[in-house]
Amino acid sequence: MNLISVFEIVGTVAFAVSGCMVGIKKDMDLFGAIVLAVTTAVGGGVFRDILIGIHPPAFFMNPYFATISIITAVIVFVFYDKLNRLNNIIQISDAIGLGAFATIGCSVAIKNNFTSPFIVVSLGLFTGVGGGILRDVFAQEIPFVFKKEIYAVACIIGGVSFVISRNYLGNDVALYTGCFVTFIVRMIAIKRNLQLPKAGKRLKQEGLTK
Amino acid sequence: MNLISVFEIVGTVAFAVSGCMVGIKKDMDLFGAIVLAVTTAVGGGVFRDILIGIHPPAFFMNPYFATISIITAVIVFVFYDKLNRLNNIIQISDAIGLGAFATIGCSVAIKNNFTSPFIVVSLGLFTGVGGGILRDVFAQEIPFVFKKEIYAVACIIGGVSFVISRNYLGNDVALYTGCFVTFIVRMIAIKRNLQLPKAGKRLKQEGLTK
Amino acid sequence: MNLISVFEIVGTVAFAVSGCMVGIKKDMDLFGAIVLAVTTAVGGGVFRDILIGIHPPAFFMNPYFATISIITAVIVFVFYDKLNRLNNIIQISDAIGLGAFATIGCSVAIKNNFTSPFIVVSLGLFTGVGGGILRDVFAQEIPFVFKKEIYAVACIIGGVSFVISRNYLGNDVALYTGCFVTFIVRMIAIKRNLQLPKAGKRLKQEGLTK
């Protein structure tokens, strides 16, 4: 088992935790919380596979990641009240997972002979953020990734790093570069509380927005 | 026409009724209510077909079920004010439909040579609950199936029954077993008002959830 | 470059403008607004391609329309406060785009040998309204197209015109007929403020709806 696989498992657990916690906050029952955990953890990959025509999506051929997500969700469900103190660990794990998911998405594109940088970076982005978008749609929230902090942007920068380093240094180095860059950008954004700009200042001053 | 086909039509009508009623409650116009009816009735099957690579989804090759859904929606639209007294019939039809849809989903998996129990049960589940999830997303509600009662769980138990009875008794018996078990579990859940557990008791006591 | 291609670009810009403005109103950051612009502009076509098995969707093979959408979104983001006076132009462009998208959807169906009128009109409809539905789901609104005015209905009438005129007058004429009819129906609906009927009068009088 290589390091990226370890990161992928860390990410699966972190994404499942975030899905389950959102489900619990939204008053879902055990089944809903499990579905939200699984959706967050594997939704991005399933969407990527649908786009490039992998039928059925890899997720269904191997219940490995579903199993991890379900077990994670049950544990979160039982120990929910004690999880708040783990906030830091969850954020770091989430950033590791984001890096692993984004670069795995890029590398699935390459393996399926889609080598245009636009597709490679797009599939990395979808794999990284697709699950979280689905989680928020199901939980009746505007997707987190559209509103706050440098999250998707970290995937895009990581994807671009993957493409560039793959050109010069080969696939293996590219995987670690993409993963590492995504992780670092995300962690810096969290530490410095970096945000993308928002528009419509005048509108806001006049109090016309919701 | 075999019995499962009859159940499928009953289910289509029941699902279309639920979609249309949600649309009307959400102040949608005739078109919106029809779309919601069709989405609820066929959305699960379309999602299943996208996942396993049936292009275009069966629904589009044959407008039969769309036609049933549209006619149902128009009738509901016209007679909306008188439908509340049919509540019981609608619930029973919905449970029949859930059973039919779930087992048809399982059997589509088998026909396309996906025989792993995980895929079979997953596709049954998606076929059964996918339409309702889409309905609720479009209607801006947290999907019903994540919050209340034993609904998805009935599909899963039905799917497992399908897999087991297919191993010992063949396809035909499995279809009826899966359908019947799903129906019975769902009806018991309604009658006894069974619910899955929810988490976060302490959080709730402190009044921190929405 | 033929006229339909020009209309497609006009439509892409108009759809991107609507997506970006919704994003800004919902307090999204620059990335969210761009995603919403791209989603609105290309979402319908991507969904159409997923349904008929074009992998990856045409959008990914050629970043042309994504580029147009992103540039549009950035311009809207910067000049947001001055855009209200362009309301009329945006509505007309949107109607042109709706016509172009709907007929392009119909014609993609034909090119992929799906000639049943039901599929042709459905794919035209999805291409025309799919992006807007996704935009509204992400923005946490009940999709506009389910609630207000003759929008989807314009696509359907345009699609039917496409099918009929293709039978008698060939593909090229059908493209312009479909596009023109969709545009005209949409403009009449705007000018006359035409709406589809809604149900449940008694319910509303009793003040039971939201």
Side-chain angles (χ1 to χ4, degrees):
Chain A
M1 181 145 65
N2 58 26
L3 205 54
I4 293 286
S5 303
V6 176
F7 293 165
E8 194 178 6
I9 292 168
V10 171
T12 302
V13 171
F15 279 36
V17 168
S18 96
C20 186
M21 292 181 84
V22 169
I24 292 169
K25 270 180 204 146
K26 290 284 174 166
D27 200 33
M28 293 185 187
D29 62 21
L30 177 59
F31 175 79
I34 288 175
V35 169
L36 222 57
V38 176
T39 303
T40 311
V42 309
V46 168
F47 182 54
R48 175 199 65 217
D49 289 352
I50 288 175
L51 285 177
I52 58 176
I54 300 181
H55 303 300
F59 162 69
F60 292 101
M61 300 309 279
N62 181 350
Y64 183 59
F65 289 104
T67 310
I68 294 178
S69 309
I70 292 170
I71 292 171
T72 304
V74 172
I75 293 172
V76 171
F77 208 83
V78 174
F79 296 104
Y80 179 68
D81 292 339
K82 286 160 195 157
L83 279 177
N84 287 326
R85 67 187 69 162
L86 296 179
N87 221 359
N88 261 338
I89 298 173
I90 292 172
Q91 271 196 332
I92 295 170
S93 308
D94 186 89
I96 295 173
L98 190 69
F101 283 26
T103 41
I104 289 167
C106 295
S107 116
V108 167
I110 301 287
K111 272 184 206 150
N112 287 275
N113 298 316
F114 300 118
T115 54
S116 117
F118 179 66
I119 300 190
V120 173
V121 175
S122 295
L123 291 188
L125 175 63
F126 294 158
T127 311
V129 307
I133 291 177
L134 271 178
R135 173 198 64 209
D136 295 344
V137 166
F138 286 160
Q140 289 291 302
E141 299 279 347
I142 291 182
F144 163 84
V145 74
F146 296 164
K147 297 196 79 164
K148 281 190 199 123
E149 302 168 38
I150 311 282
Y151 197 91
V153 170
C155 286
I156 294 174
I157 296 175
V160 171
S161 314
F162 175 94
V163 170
I164 294 172
S165 60
R166 186 176 163 272
N167 272 355
Y168 295 103
L169 304 164
N171 266 323
D172 290 351
V173 177
L175 263 178
Y176 290 99
T177 312
C179 186
F180 183 73
V181 171
T182 308
F183 172 75
I184 289 295
V185 173
R186 178 73 192 122
M187 288 312 294
I188 292 173
I190 293 175
K191 291 288 169 212
R192 305 253 165 134
N193 198 19
L194 296 180
Q195 308 261 345
L196 287 178
K198 293 189 177 179
K201 273 168 206 162
R202 211 187 57 195
L203 194 78
K204 255 166 237 157
Q205 286 158 6
E206 289 168 10
L208 293 172
T209 48
K210 297 196 193 185
Chain B
M1 181 145 68
N2 57 24
L3 206 54
I4 293 285
S5 304
V6 176
F7 293 165
E8 194 178 8
I9 293 169
V10 171
T12 302
V13 171
F15 278 37
V17 168
S18 96
C20 187
M21 292 182 84
V22 169
I24 292 170
K25 268 179 205 148
K26 290 283 177 168
D27 201 33
M28 292 186 187
D29 62 20
L30 177 59
F31 175 79
I34 288 175
V35 169
L36 223 58
V38 176
T39 303
T40 311
V42 309
V46 168
F47 183 54
R48 175 199 64 216
D49 289 352
I50 288 175
L51 285 177
I52 58 176
I54 300 182
H55 303 300
F59 161 69
F60 293 100
M61 300 310 278
N62 181 349
Y64 182 60
F65 290 104
T67 310
I68 294 178
S69 309
I70 293 170
I71 292 171
T72 304
V74 171
I75 293 172
V76 170
F77 209 83
V78 174
F79 296 103
Y80 180 66
D81 291 338
K82 286 160 195 158
L83 279 177
N84 288 327
R85 66 187 71 163
L86 296 179
N87 222 359
N88 261 338
I89 298 174
I90 293 172
Q91 270 196 333
I92 295 170
S93 309
D94 187 89
I96 294 173
L98 190 69
F101 283 27
T103 41
I104 289 168
C106 295
S107 117
V108 167
I110 301 285
K111 273 185 205 150
N112 287 274
N113 298 315
F114 300 119
T115 53
S116 116
F118 178 65
I119 300 189
V120 172
V121 175
S122 295
L123 291 188
L125 175 63
F126 293 159
T127 311
V129 307
I133 291 177
L134 271 178
R135 174 198 65 209
D136 294 344
V137 166
F138 285 160
Q140 289 291 301
E141 299 279 348
I142 291 181
F144 163 84
V145 73
F146 297 164
K147 295 196 82 163
K148 282 189 197 125
E149 302 167 37
I150 310 281
Y151 196 91
V153 170
C155 286
I156 294 173
I157 297 174
V160 171
S161 314
F162 174 93
V163 170
I164 294 172
S165 60
R166 185 175 163 273
N167 272 355
Y168 296 103
L169 304 165
N171 266 323
D172 290 350
V173 176
L175 263 178
Y176 289 98
T177 313
C179 186
F180 183 74
V181 170
T182 308
F183 172 76
I184 289 295
V185 173
R186 178 71 192 126
M187 288 311 295
I188 291 173
I190 293 174
K191 291 288 168 211
R192 306 252 165 134
N193 199 20
L194 296 180
Q195 308 259 345
L196 288 177
K198 293 189 177 178
K201 272 168 208 163
R202 209 186 58 193
L203 194 77
K204 255 166 237 158
Q205 285 157 8
E206 290 168 10
L208 292 172
T209 49
K210 295 195 192 184
Chain C
M1 183 147 67
N2 58 25
L3 205 54
I4 293 285
S5 302
V6 177
F7 293 165
E8 194 177 7
I9 293 169
V10 172
T12 302
V13 171
F15 279 36
V17 168
S18 95
C20 187
M21 293 181 84
V22 169
I24 293 170
K25 269 180 204 146
K26 290 284 176 167
D27 201 34
M28 292 185 187
D29 62 20
L30 177 59
F31 175 79
I34 288 175
V35 169
L36 223 57
V38 176
T39 303
T40 311
V42 310
V46 169
F47 182 54
R48 175 199 64 216
D49 290 352
I50 288 175
L51 285 177
I52 58 176
I54 300 181
H55 303 301
F59 162 70
F60 293 100
M61 300 310 278
N62 181 350
Y64 182 60
F65 289 104
T67 310
I68 294 178
S69 308
I70 292 170
I71 293 171
T72 304
V74 172
I75 293 172
V76 170
F77 208 82
V78 174
F79 297 103
Y80 179 67
D81 291 338
K82 285 159 196 158
L83 278 177
N84 287 326
R85 67 187 70 164
L86 295 179
N87 221 358
N88 261 338
I89 298 173
I90 293 171
Q91 271 195 333
I92 295 170
S93 308
D94 185 271
I96 294 173
L98 189 69
F101 283 26
T103 41
I104 288 167
C106 295
S107 116
V108 167
I110 301 286
K111 272 183 206 151
N112 287 274
N113 298 317
F114 300 118
T115 54
S116 117
F118 179 66
I119 300 189
V120 173
V121 175
S122 295
L123 291 188
L125 174 62
F126 293 159
T127 311
V129 308
I133 291 177
L134 271 177
R135 174 197 65 209
D136 295 344
V137 167
F138 285 161
Q140 288 292 301
E141 299 279 348
I142 291 182
F144 163 83
V145 74
F146 297 163
K147 295 196 80 164
K148 281 190 198 125
E149 301 167 39
I150 311 283
Y151 196 91
V153 170
C155 286
I156 295 174
I157 297 175
V160 171
S161 313
F162 174 94
V163 170
I164 294 173
S165 60
R166 186 176 163 272
N167 272 356
Y168 295 104
L169 304 164
N171 264 324
D172 290 352
V173 177
L175 263 178
Y176 289 99
T177 312
C179 186
F180 183 74
V181 170
T182 308
F183 172 75
I184 289 295
V185 173
R186 178 72 192 124
M187 288 311 295
I188 292 173
I190 293 174
K191 291 290 168 208
R192 305 254 164 134
N193 199 20
L194 296 180
Q195 308 259 345
L196 287 179
K198 293 188 177 178
K201 272 166 206 161
R202 211 186 57 194
L203 195 77
K204 255 165 237 156
Q205 286 157 6
E206 290 167 9
L208 293 172
T209 49
K210 296 197 192 184

